[in-house]
Amino acid sequence: SSFQGLSIRWYWGDKVNSIWYNPQLHSAIFQTLRLSCYTTIIAVPVGVAFALGINRWRDRISASFNFLMILSFVVPELIFGVALYFIFTQMPGLRGVGLGTLAEVLGLVSWNLSWPAIIVQARLVTLGKQYEEAASDLGCTQLQTLRRVMLPLLMPAIFASAILVFASVIDDFVVVDLLSSTGATQP
């Protein structure tokens, strides 16, 4: 093939082959965006709380949770997906979840939870304890310190992790949603 230039034809210019005019592609894109938003809204706050907890809590259990946080970087996505498939279809308590949007969101949140946790934990390590100690010396409670001091300092890390989670979900699900919306069998 030869390069013929850049075009937006495949998004909305072509009435036959573009994403905007093909109903299956159109619904796959919107389902992907919906999953990305749900996953980002759930995974980022939970990951930030997870990072704060691991940073404050120093013992063997904390080390175990730290290992679990890194697990999604070690385990291949295919193995993780197959394990979640068996959990959602075979476990008696989770059979009601099914294999729809809820199962996809739960799987994506558990897979992408490590992004915000690792990024925020790295930011917490660089910040140190001096800001919290200064806020405590000035009379702030722990909740006030978190809300007025730590969250503004962590906001760049939280924003970066939200972008990574959103992009990761889009990367994972465009093809899967396309296969499920066209009725093709998934590999």
Side-chain angles (χ1 to χ4, degrees):
S1 71
S2 62
F3 180 71
Q4 297 175 359
L6 301 174
S7 170
I8 56 172
R9 170 182 167 205
W10 303 111
Y11 293 100
W12 59 77
D14 190 351
K15 300 267 187 205
V16 176
N17 296 319
S18 67
I19 290 173
W20 195 254
Y21 293 106
N22 186 332
Q24 286 88 13
L25 293 174
H26 195 74
S27 67
I29 291 295
F30 281 119
Q31 176 68 7
T32 300
L33 291 173
R34 189 177 311 120
L35 287 171
S36 297
C37 290
Y38 291 158
T39 303
T40 303
I41 288 170
I42 296 168
V44 172
V46 172
V48 170
F50 196 57
L52 288 168
I54 287 176
N55 193 334
R56 304 287 183 267
W57 191 19
R58 300 283 181 195
D59 63 355
R60 294 175 117 181
I61 297 173
S62 172
S64 302
F65 281 118
N66 201 8
F67 173 74
L68 283 175
M69 177 184 59
I70 298 172
L71 192 63
S72 69
F73 291 120
V74 177
V75 175
E77 284 182 271
L78 181 63
I79 293 172
F80 194 79
V82 170
L84 285 176
Y85 172 77
F86 283 120
I87 287 172
F88 290 140
T89 58
Q90 302 299 321
M91 284 188 73
L94 293 176
R95 283 192 186 156
V97 171
L99 296 177
T101 301
L102 179 61
E104 289 176 338
V105 169
L106 290 173
L108 286 167
V109 166
S110 62
W111 179 258
N112 289 304
L113 189 64
S114 57
W115 285 111
I118 288 174
I119 293 170
V120 171
Q121 190 175 10
R123 178 71 175 144
L124 283 168
V125 168
T126 61
L127 286 177
K129 298 273 187 190
Q130 64 267 22
Y131 292 105
E132 293 177 75
E133 291 170 359
S136 178
D137 288 344
L138 292 172
C140 287
T141 63
Q142 286 184 348
L143 187 61
Q144 288 173 329
T145 301
L146 179 67
R147 188 173 60 89
R148 293 184 179 175
V149 177
M150 296 308 292
L151 284 179
L153 290 172
L154 293 175
M155 204 48 72
I158 294 170
F159 182 71
S161 63
I163 289 174
L164 284 172
V165 168
F166 190 85
S168 174
V169 175
I170 286 181
D171 177 49
D172 287 341
F173 267 90
V174 169
V175 173
V176 174
D177 287 337
L178 177 61
L179 288 173
S180 64
S181 68
T182 58
T185 58
Q186 297 180 11

